[in-house]
Amino acid sequence: MTAARTERPAVAGAEQDGSESDVVLRLEDLVVEFPAGGGQTVHAVSGISLEVHRGETLGLVGESGCGKSTTGRAIMQLPKPTGGKVVFEGRDITKLSASELRELRPKLQMIFQDPISSLNPRRRIPDIVGDPLVVWGRGAEKEKIVPEVLSAVGLDPAQVADRRPHQFSGGQCQRVSIARALVLEPEVLICDEPVSALDVSVQAQILNLLEDMKARYGLTLVFIAHDLGVVRNISDRVAVMYLGKICELGETEALFDDPVHPYTRLLVSSIPSMETVTGADIEKADRGRGEMPSPINPPSGCRFRTRCPLADERCAAEVPEMREVRPGRYVACHHPILEPVGAAAAAEGA
Amino acid sequence: MNPHGGDLAAEGTPRSGGVLVMGTDREAVSFDPTVQNTNQAALAVYDSLLKFDENGVAQPYLAESMETPDGGRTWLMGLRDGVRFSDGTPLDAQAVIINVQRHIDKTSSPGHLYAEQITGMRAVDPQTVEFTLAQPFGSFPATFALNFTAGNLGAILSPAAIQQYGDEVGRNPVGAGPFVLTDWVRDSRMELSRNPNYWQQGMPYLDGLEFRPLPDTETRYASIENGDVDLIFGGYHTELLRGMQNPNLTVYYGPGHGAEYLYFNHQRAPFDDHRMREAVVRGIDLGALAATQFRGQMAAASNWFGGDSAYTSPEADAAWPAYDAERARQLVQEYVAGGGSATVQYKTTNAPNRVAFAEFLQAQMAAIGITLEPQFFDLAQYSSSVVQSHDFQIAGWVGGPQEVPYPAVTNLMRTGGNANYGSYSNPEVDTLLDQAAASTDEAERTRLYQQVGLVTNQDIAVAYYSRGYLSTVAKPEVKGVVRYLTRDMFFATTWLDR
Amino acid sequence: MTHARSDEGVAGGEDVLGAGVLERIPDGSDLLTAEDIVVRFHTKRGVVHAVEGVSIAIRAGEVLAVVGESGSGKTIFTRRVMGLISGGNGTEVHGTVTYDGTKLTELSGKELSKFWGAEIALILQDPMTSLNPVKRIGEQLTETIVLHKRVTKKEAQQRAVELLRSVGLSEPERRVRQYPHELSGGMRQRVTIAIALSCNPRLLLADEPTTALDVTVQAQILDLLADLQSRLRMAMLLVTHDLRVVRSRSDRIAVMYAGRIVETAPTPELFAEPKMPYTEALMNAVPPIAGPNHIRLQVIPGRPPDLVNPPTGCKFSPRCPYAQEKCLTEEPPLREAGSADHQYRCWYPVGSEEGLKAKARNVERGRSAAGTP
Amino acid sequence: MPETTTTTTTTVTAEPAVAGAANGTDTAKKVRRAGRAGIGWYIAWTWLGAVVLAAIFAPLLPLWDPAIPDYTNVFGGITPQHWLGGDTLGRDTLSRVIYGARASLLVGICAVGLGALVGGTLGMLAGYFGGRTERFLSWVTDVVLAFPGLVFIIAIVAILGSSLANLIVGLAILSVPTFIRLSRAATLVVAQREFVQAARAYGSSPVRIIFREIAPNVVLPVAAYGFIMIGVFIVVEGSLSFLGLGIPPPTPSWGGMIAAGRTELLNYPHISLFPAAVMFLTVLSINYIGERVRKQFEVKESNL
Amino acid sequence: MADTMATTPAAPATAAGPGGGTGGVSRGTKRKYALRRIRKRLTHLLLVLLAVTFLSFVVVDLLPGDAAVVVAGDNATPEQVQQVREDLQLDRPVLIRYVDWLGGVLTGDLGSSFRTGQPVAEALAQRIPVTFEITIVAQVLALLIAVPLAVWSAYRPGRLVDRASMTLGFGAAAMPNFVFGMVLIVLFAGGVSSILPATGYTGFFENPLENLRSIILPCLTLMIAEAAVYRQLLRSDMTSTLQEDFILMARSKGLSPMTILFRHALRPSSFSLITLSGVNIGRLLGGTVIVETLFAIPGLGQLIVQAVFNRDYMILQGALLFVAVAYVVINMLIDLLYLALDPRVRRDA
């Protein structure tokens, strides 16, 4: 799988120094809970803190139900989080009134997983893309801006003029969604699984497009996905979530090559191996035990302890704090794996 | 066919046994004679102290005699020996007094109107009651013979039952009639069984009666054709006519007194004007009416009293305007030229045949220049918001057949009469009616009522158009039918030939 | 296959799944062959050419992977192989499927259903929807056993518990009384596997068995399938859209595009020497898991073909970087690359001289013959 | 009432060429069925179109006056002058059937229109806002449903008088709970779709979201169901006529005509038969068309 | 409402909670929550009952026409009417009468009919079993006809059974049911043949056979449109269910079509049908007026309508209270039925 890779582009946010002035978005102890049936509470996000630097792509990765999408929506205040702060450009937007929040919305946009569902089937493409302008009283500029943005995302404005979403493929619909998000020229774009509903052959088109748009519009991306390969490729830094908490955060390549948290390790080793597996391999492979518990009733202490091969009493009693184990690498684990290079990653990288 | 029932003599020897199943057009409300309602089973339980003969004269029935020694001011009622209520209580003078007193006491009783004229009651002996009246009242005996709906003072309850049940007596009637109420499931069936201690020896012939309320005309008629029931009480001419066409059914009906007519409101425009009243009467094509509403079999009415009645007169009939659309149009034009409005609201009930009639009338009136706007009401609303409150210009009414002129004509024509919804008022008529009610002389009374007929026809007090029809339709094997024109039946003589 | 097998293996031995292994057809001979399978749906919009002339052979004990994107016809094909799709009423089918000497395509529905569950079993993508939500796990397991094996209800229940245990489900006694929604996704998929294997089928059709699962669970399930398959010497048709999934888990791979097989080869050979540009593109479109990030991904331009009006010539030609004029008009036949095991459908195969030239030409003129840049 | 939770699953990864590929044969069957239904579909439209056109242009047609009796034609049979005979007053049945279409269709269309408008809007509010709005509306809905409709209609007629307009209002109110539920269910489906989230994300106000984003998607399932309700109400008007609560005369309506001819059913069945047949065919056409249209927009299905 | 009024079915809750969790919650919490839910639910329903009864009081009060006049009769004098009005205490304000009535209800006294003096409880006790029997029998008949037709239609869409039953169903829904009633009477009770009674109702315990004969025509009349609606609804739900993966799975196990249709597909397809059927039972309990009038059946519907026409508040209030309670109870029963039929709902309860 080495054929025909282009060289790594120069645009990479990771090199920035990460000083406070560059932090465009900061989550502080974000908590999102909502009621489930039977009088129970889903602890979807349980106190996560992150910083997103201007111009970078922050990947948010984890299995379904880990709270990554909820985090994305909480940043958008859709709905407002249960607790914690979302600081955007120096202001805690969870405290803003509805009208103040509305003023802020153009700077913070989002694209969604399902390209079909993202577009109102009863409206025409230019209306969909131009609607944010109309909402913001800039309807007059529609004629000018909409074709521009459509061209930018690779659609022919003349061709799509009279069409409705169902006349397009998933990939094209996702392009329309991206165009709609960009029409207000946001600063931060939250991408919630933008390619997971697409076929492999189309997925690459959209990922490349996102990279292009990021460069063209100077965006900061929060990229949420469960596909490790996708996240790995597009992100400068990656936060790994497990059951409502961040367990590891660091620069992409390093994090994937050398996972410190046992969960990250499990995740990375679960990526389908390109090597032929024999029965003996299966015996050896530690796939972790079971699956993620319910967020209704998360385990005490470290949330991963029920599946963790290294878990002991301390993990059950004490919630591990996030700490910096290496420069730029944060991990929340009582027993981080700090020996140099993970076996699985080594095999992969060879 | 005899309107009053079958020819008992010709029907052969009665057989005993069997249960007669009957379909009534509505469910009874109560057996209490002081409660306003139509109850075709009531006389089966009570009989009546007096009973009209075929000439409309009240004759003693359960009572033995009814006489006035002083020209109508005092009345002596003699009772039969040995008559007992079904609970064994004797039907004596005291029982009659207690029952009549209830009508006096209860102002809402339909019989209150007649009973309140009684100033004193006395049991001369256990078998004789003496009634003293405020003024002479020649028609007093009729009040003990009326149909149940009109308020019959002659339906007598056991005093013991009154004592025992109080207000509930309407659901637990104890009378001296041929049958005893045994079961009553409202809106489903009412069952009566033979009273073994009935005062007429050997009667009743039937073992029992069953009344089923079948409110829908069509299914009621289907039920007798189908054999579900033996006899139905027909409320409308449609059943009567169909029954007559069916060789397997016997129909009893008679026109009698009374009619279907329209009320004019004499206090409101435009029918405070004689011309407009005349126009309406002249504008109704009775031939067309018969064809559309009565299948060509309608007896036209031009008087309260039926054609063969002694109370009518050629003068009265002659005074009644004949159909003449041209003349009607002229009258309306005249009226409109004088500044009147010929657009009127016609109020009636929402029963299907009433609606059909309204449509007919609307078309007829349109032809003579009167714009009729029909408005339909349910019965409750019609009673209270239309007729009782006199809130109408012209309104429909069916005043079914009556045996006797008193009290119906008084109620209808006298100033303030309780059926005089159109507020018709003519002092001359009031005097005539009072004299007629007081008179004990049949010839005198006949003359007075003839005069009433003439004057009210000249005034066009109401717009008669057809005689009223209330029929009883039976299977041929139902024999010994004895009935009033109102359909109230005396069941003692009835028997089943099967 | 004899009926003797039906009576054994129920008593609750350690390995209920192992029973009957000895009687299986020796590995390497064809267990099922499908020849020239065609499935077309006649719709208002036109004829949907879902599967056009696909032939495969699955050998006893081997894993054949069918790989393709949405709309490639892989699912329809699998169901046609099993007989779940039949002709008539607007559906047109051709071709024959032979299973262990029996022509499945000639059987009546009733005869076919005797094979289903007993000889050929199916598992589907989403365990959430492929289990009946209102029936207990145990019921869904035992009904197959009771249907195909002459056992009592009680024996079937016992076997159900054992089956659940052997697919790695904890507390199987409790699980049989549970409803699907009470289990997690991975557990549910284990249940569907247990159901599929309950009558020791010799062929398992696994249609995207892990697509709906998370990556860690996917690994567990794939391990489980591989383990069971090798232990039971059961043949498996593994349908997926993800080449990476089958790389280490299949013996052979057939790549489908637009209702056709465009390349088939033993797994290592396919990865080493893909001949069909589509296969190559498919491999390269996936973001790599090693190496630097922010790699510009190789894109397959355009969109998957419309099966009602498929392009003429090679179906991939409108999206193919190698496409020449010939590709637009003439559909390439399946050609052998070296051995009969490796076949592909291309005029200008990857790595060949013609291929290199064709690509160079397209680079030169800045577009392919179909006009794609 | 149990909560109506409708889930949609739209995945683009499903085989797109054969929707519902789970049972591939079924799709084709559906399509072929649609093809076969073609004749019925056209007949239904033709009939419905003819009835509607006749109703609209009734005054221009060479018809007898539906209100004027012809006493020579009472219970009249079929003659060259009176193609469908005469009624109890000798009025021309053909003319009355055509004029009756006006009232019957008007009742159906207006009552449904009004009910759908009010119920549809309330349903969207309930579905979008949830919480107290929803609880209040669910209470209102339950109250209306727990109150016998007939008593309500009697009350309306008694209080406001018997008229076409009042009947329409009464029926519309009775249909409101149905439309609230339908529209609420559809709204729940639409509101969880991502374009609504997107609209919120770029700052659309709730009113704008409800009317620009949700309403266009709710209108169609509600309208499709409403179309069937038109037929239901035409029949209901007939039932009410039986109880004397229908459209008051002289305005002819089909239900009124059937009920009026009922007394002559055995002797002159044609008086009821013709209006009954016309009502039957019309409502049948509506049901036929409506069912097929409704299927396309069924809330349950994800093809909104 | 007139008997043909349709109601939209509500789909049952099918949402599985996030995470598809195996996480258990302690029994105590569950019970506490269940109790709270029941309490909430009961409060809601109580409010519905209050609103319905108060509404009916007000509506009847607003109706033109006067109970006293009806009771006193057409020929009553104004004094007679006034007397009756005082006897019935109709001269008091509506709110006070309502509160009085409510007090009576709470102490188990529903009052007595203005007209007949019959205690309301007794009147209801006579009518309810009749209406109940007819309603239930009609529902069962409708389901017996609709379910097999629907299942078969969904299994073989577009074939004869499907198309014929669809067309017949549309036809059945295209006629007011009094027309069916009349046709049935002509066919079976008088016109063409006389094998069944046209009118009258015999109690089951009086004579079971006669009872059966007497309810056949009314039940058929009621059933016919219902069956059509049920078939349509179930067919549509069945069709969606048959496209589910688990049906494909069931087929692939080799199960027979009948097993799949009735044991796998029917139950998960039946939720809307159950809802509608329940709603219909509730609705019909409140008024099969047309059928009752046509066939002279002493049911609740007639009682209610006559009570309105006669301004018999007490009967009307009592009957409406029953109807509202029935509506409420049936809704709760439907909930319970969901619980029994759908384990996914059970978890949330």
mmCIF file of all heavy atoms in Angstrom, chain A residues 192-207:
data_model
loop_
_atom_site.group_PDB
_atom_site.id
_atom_site.type_symbol
_atom_site.label_atom_id
_atom_site.label_comp_id
_atom_site.label_asym_id
_atom_site.label_seq_id
_atom_site.Cartn_x
_atom_site.Cartn_y
_atom_site.Cartn_z
ATOM 1 N N ASP A 192 -18.643 16.244 11.993
ATOM 2 C CA ASP A 192 -19.094 15.092 12.762
ATOM 3 C C ASP A 192 -19.226 13.884 11.841
ATOM 4 O O ASP A 192 -20.203 13.741 11.136
ATOM 5 C CB ASP A 192 -20.442 15.437 13.414
ATOM 6 C CG ASP A 192 -20.906 14.347 14.351
ATOM 7 O OD1 ASP A 192 -20.163 13.362 14.535
ATOM 8 O OD2 ASP A 192 -22.014 14.478 14.889
ATOM 9 N N GLU A 193 -18.238 13.045 11.830
ATOM 10 C CA GLU A 193 -18.210 11.857 10.984
ATOM 11 C C GLU A 193 -18.572 12.192 9.534
ATOM 12 O O GLU A 193 -19.464 11.586 8.954
ATOM 13 C CB GLU A 193 -19.219 10.811 11.508
ATOM 14 C CG GLU A 193 -19.006 10.421 12.953
ATOM 15 C CD GLU A 193 -18.310 9.085 13.106
ATOM 16 O OE1 GLU A 193 -17.730 8.602 12.100
ATOM 17 O OE2 GLU A 193 -18.318 8.537 14.208
ATOM 18 N N PRO A 194 -17.892 13.123 8.933
ATOM 19 C CA PRO A 194 -18.355 13.597 7.618
ATOM 20 C C PRO A 194 -18.200 12.577 6.505
ATOM 21 O O PRO A 194 -18.813 12.748 5.462
ATOM 22 C CB PRO A 194 -17.479 14.821 7.353
ATOM 23 C CG PRO A 194 -16.265 14.588 8.169
ATOM 24 C CD PRO A 194 -16.684 13.815 9.371
ATOM 25 N N VAL A 195 -17.391 11.555 6.698
ATOM 26 C CA VAL A 195 -17.194 10.625 5.577
ATOM 27 C C VAL A 195 -17.622 9.197 5.896
ATOM 28 O O VAL A 195 -17.529 8.315 5.053
ATOM 29 C CB VAL A 195 -15.713 10.595 5.106
ATOM 30 C CG1 VAL A 195 -15.323 11.939 4.533
ATOM 31 C CG2 VAL A 195 -14.795 10.193 6.241
ATOM 32 N N SER A 196 -18.130 8.971 7.111
ATOM 33 C CA SER A 196 -18.363 7.575 7.469
ATOM 34 C C SER A 196 -19.547 6.970 6.727
ATOM 35 O O SER A 196 -19.702 5.769 6.682
ATOM 36 C CB SER A 196 -18.536 7.425 8.970
ATOM 37 O OG SER A 196 -19.591 8.217 9.411
ATOM 38 N N ALA A 197 -20.380 7.808 6.132
ATOM 39 C CA ALA A 197 -21.506 7.250 5.395
ATOM 40 C C ALA A 197 -21.177 7.099 3.909
ATOM 41 O O ALA A 197 -22.033 6.743 3.124
ATOM 42 C CB ALA A 197 -22.730 8.130 5.579
ATOM 43 N N LEU A 198 -19.945 7.391 3.550
ATOM 44 C CA LEU A 198 -19.609 7.392 2.128
ATOM 45 C C LEU A 198 -18.799 6.166 1.748
ATOM 46 O O LEU A 198 -18.082 5.587 2.570
ATOM 47 C CB LEU A 198 -18.806 8.656 1.795
ATOM 48 C CG LEU A 198 -19.502 9.979 2.134
ATOM 49 C CD1 LEU A 198 -18.549 11.134 1.883
ATOM 50 C CD2 LEU A 198 -20.763 10.138 1.321
ATOM 51 N N ASP A 199 -18.917 5.830 0.489
ATOM 52 C CA ASP A 199 -18.104 4.732 -0.028
ATOM 53 C C ASP A 199 -16.637 5.127 -0.041
ATOM 54 O O ASP A 199 -16.307 6.302 -0.156
ATOM 55 C CB ASP A 199 -18.539 4.422 -1.460
ATOM 56 C CG ASP A 199 -19.570 3.330 -1.484
ATOM 57 O OD1 ASP A 199 -19.461 2.413 -0.642
ATOM 58 O OD2 ASP A 199 -20.485 3.387 -2.317
ATOM 59 N N VAL A 200 -15.797 4.128 0.042
ATOM 60 C CA VAL A 200 -14.358 4.367 0.067
ATOM 61 C C VAL A 200 -13.926 5.280 -1.066
ATOM 62 O O VAL A 200 -13.153 6.210 -0.877
ATOM 63 C CB VAL A 200 -13.588 3.035 -0.067
ATOM 64 C CG1 VAL A 200 -12.161 3.232 0.348
ATOM 65 C CG2 VAL A 200 -14.254 1.956 0.721
ATOM 66 N N SER A 201 -14.454 5.012 -2.253
ATOM 67 C CA SER A 201 -13.970 5.761 -3.407
ATOM 68 C C SER A 201 -14.368 7.229 -3.333
ATOM 69 O O SER A 201 -13.727 8.076 -3.920
ATOM 70 C CB SER A 201 -14.497 5.133 -4.694
ATOM 71 O OG SER A 201 -15.892 5.198 -4.736
ATOM 72 N N VAL A 202 -15.428 7.519 -2.613
ATOM 73 C CA VAL A 202 -15.897 8.902 -2.521
ATOM 74 C C VAL A 202 -15.305 9.587 -1.291
ATOM 75 O O VAL A 202 -15.054 10.785 -1.274
ATOM 76 C CB VAL A 202 -17.437 8.925 -2.479
ATOM 77 C CG1 VAL A 202 -17.945 10.342 -2.379
ATOM 78 C CG2 VAL A 202 -18.008 8.229 -3.696
ATOM 79 N N GLN A 203 -15.072 8.782 -0.276
ATOM 80 C CA GLN A 203 -14.535 9.275 0.981
ATOM 81 C C GLN A 203 -13.264 10.097 0.762
ATOM 82 O O GLN A 203 -13.108 11.192 1.306
ATOM 83 C CB GLN A 203 -14.250 8.052 1.855
ATOM 84 C CG GLN A 203 -13.510 8.327 3.130
ATOM 85 C CD GLN A 203 -13.355 7.032 3.924
ATOM 86 O OE1 GLN A 203 -14.325 6.329 4.154
ATOM 87 N NE2 GLN A 203 -12.151 6.722 4.334
ATOM 88 N N ALA A 204 -12.402 9.575 -0.087
ATOM 89 C CA ALA A 204 -11.144 10.264 -0.331
ATOM 90 C C ALA A 204 -11.374 11.640 -0.950
ATOM 91 O O ALA A 204 -10.702 12.608 -0.604
ATOM 92 C CB ALA A 204 -10.260 9.411 -1.244
ATOM 93 N N GLN A 205 -12.348 11.724 -1.849
ATOM 94 C CA GLN A 205 -12.653 13.024 -2.469
ATOM 95 C C GLN A 205 -13.000 14.052 -1.402
ATOM 96 O O GLN A 205 -12.531 15.192 -1.432
ATOM 97 C CB GLN A 205 -13.845 12.898 -3.427
ATOM 98 C CG GLN A 205 -13.654 11.929 -4.568
ATOM 99 C CD GLN A 205 -14.953 11.731 -5.358
ATOM 100 O OE1 GLN A 205 -15.945 12.402 -5.122
ATOM 101 N NE2 GLN A 205 -14.926 10.794 -6.294
ATOM 102 N N ILE A 206 -13.833 13.638 -0.452
ATOM 103 C CA ILE A 206 -14.315 14.580 0.564
ATOM 104 C C ILE A 206 -13.180 14.961 1.522
ATOM 105 O O ILE A 206 -13.032 16.122 1.901
ATOM 106 C CB ILE A 206 -15.511 13.981 1.324
ATOM 107 C CG1 ILE A 206 -16.677 13.705 0.358
ATOM 108 C CG2 ILE A 206 -15.959 14.903 2.455
ATOM 109 C CD1 ILE A 206 -17.233 14.924 -0.328
ATOM 110 N N LEU A 207 -12.371 13.971 1.866
ATOM 111 C CA LEU A 207 -11.256 14.278 2.771
ATOM 112 C C LEU A 207 -10.308 15.282 2.127
ATOM 113 O O LEU A 207 -9.883 16.254 2.759
ATOM 114 C CB LEU A 207 -10.515 12.993 3.144
ATOM 115 C CG LEU A 207 -11.294 12.062 4.093
ATOM 116 C CD1 LEU A 207 -10.554 10.742 4.262
ATOM 117 C CD2 LEU A 207 -11.519 12.730 5.445
#
